Amino acid sequence: MKASLRKLFSPLLNPLERGDEPYVYKPLSRKILLAVSLLFSVMCAALVYLMPADADKGYLIPVVVFGLVAAVGFIVGLLGNERAVAKIWGNR
């Protein structure tokens, strides 16, 4: 299952997992990435819940941004290798 999901999300994961340069990975980084992704998904859900029914389409911009950030964080945090998590945090 994980292999098929990694293949599905390979356009996102491959650039983050590529490279030979040294990186610094701490196991806590993955947990923090997943926690931050959870917070972004909660913010996205709260915005959808609190959005007025007759709201302008411009209100969807933060929902889309928070949702995409949460999705990328979950994908990298759950499926990415140590190098991908370190690149998300900017560690080299």
Side-chain angles (χ1 to χ4, degrees):
M1 178 74 169
K2 186 174 179 178
S4 62
L5 287 174
R6 282 185 54 81
K7 187 174 183 180
L8 177 68
F9 294 113
S10 65
L12 173 68
L13 293 173
N14 285 342
L16 293 172
E17 294 175 346
R18 200 174 299 140
D20 293 334
E21 66 274 355
Y23 63 94
V24 178
Y25 172 77
K26 298 173 188 157
L28 187 60
S29 297
R30 186 176 303 269
K31 293 175 186 172
I32 293 172
L33 179 62
L34 291 172
V36 168
S37 300
L38 181 66
L39 289 175
F40 271 103
S41 63
V42 167
M43 286 193 303
C44 178
L47 282 173
V48 169
Y49 179 73
L50 296 173
M51 189 182 317
D54 59 345
D56 186 25
K57 299 296 181 195
Y59 285 104
L60 290 176
I61 293 172
V63 172
V64 170
V65 170
F66 288 156
L68 286 175
V69 169
V72 168
F74 280 131
I75 291 167
V76 173
L78 295 173
L79 299 174
N81 64 12
E82 294 173 353
R83 181 179 297 278
V85 174
K87 277 193 179 179
I88 286 286
W89 290 116
N91 294 333
R92 295 185 181 154

